């Protein structure tokens, strides 16, 4: 039995998929509203931005770095878009482009301090959070 379980769970990704399926089944049994299509789509819409941002932070972590300023940059770009679009009357696409440029400048500044000034990534990203 133990050898069979080791073979099935040899790759942890398979274990996570099985765990997710079991979890959804249990929640669906406990609360029948959980598996309704509108609830599932609402969950996808709510978490898609977190998933997209996690992709970029994962790339940084795979290369051995750390980026704890990502949530702060998300907040900054959200405010930039909101102020430019709502208060200044700028086109939404131009406001979004400005926000992307500002986020890129934040990353460029952090990369400069890490690569050329020799400051530790944790310190730079922690400082960038403020």
């Amino acid at each position: 039995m133990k050898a069979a379980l080791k073979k099935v769970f040899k790759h942890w990704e398979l274990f996570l998929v099985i765990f997710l399926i079991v979890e959804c089944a249990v929640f669906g049994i406990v609360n029948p509203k959980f598996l309704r299509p509108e609830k599932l789509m609402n969950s996808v819409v709510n978490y898609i931005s977190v998933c997209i941002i996690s992709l970029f932070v994962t790339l940084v972590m795979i290369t051995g770095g750390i980026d704890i300023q990502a949530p702060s940059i998300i907040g900054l770009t959200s405010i930039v878009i909101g102020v430019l679009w709502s208060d200044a009357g700028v086109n939404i696409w131009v406001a979004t482009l400005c926000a992307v440029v500002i986020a890129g400048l934040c990353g460029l500044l952090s990369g400069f301090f890490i690569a050329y000034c020799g400051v530790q990534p944790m310190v730079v990203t922690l400082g960038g959070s403020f």
Side-chain angles (χ1 to χ4, degrees):
M1 177 81 177
K2 191 174 183 180
L5 284 176
K6 279 187 177 182
K7 186 176 181 182
V8 170
F9 296 122
K10 184 177 181 181
H11 300 288
W12 62 272
E13 295 92 350
L14 179 63
F15 173 75
L16 291 177
V17 170
I18 292 171
F19 184 75
L20 181 65
I21 292 169
V22 169
E23 184 180 31
C24 287
V26 169
F27 286 148
I29 292 169
V30 171
N31 185 359
K33 294 179 182 178
F34 179 77
L35 294 177
R36 288 190 179 166
E38 62 270 6
K39 298 287 184 186
L40 294 174
M41 288 306 296
N42 193 23
S43 295
V44 169
V45 168
N46 287 335
Y47 293 111
I48 195 71
S49 60
V50 174
C51 293
I52 291 170
I53 293 157
S54 298
L55 289 173
F56 296 107
V57 174
T58 302
L59 292 175
V60 171
M61 293 175 73
I62 287 172
T63 61
I66 186 165
D67 187 2
I68 54 177
Q69 73 180 1
S72 298
I73 293 176
I74 294 165
L76 174 67
T77 55
S78 300
I79 291 170
V80 167
I81 291 173
V83 168
L84 288 177
W85 184 44
S86 178
D87 296 343
V90 175
N91 184 331
I92 186 69
W93 297 109
V94 175
T96 304
L97 181 65
C98 289
V100 169
V101 168
I102 288 173
L105 289 174
C106 290
L108 183 72
L109 188 63
S110 295
F112 172 77
F113 283 119
I114 292 168
Y116 296 109
C117 297
V119 182
Q120 291 293 320
M122 180 88 155
V123 174
V124 172
T125 58
L126 182 62
S129 296
F130 295 107

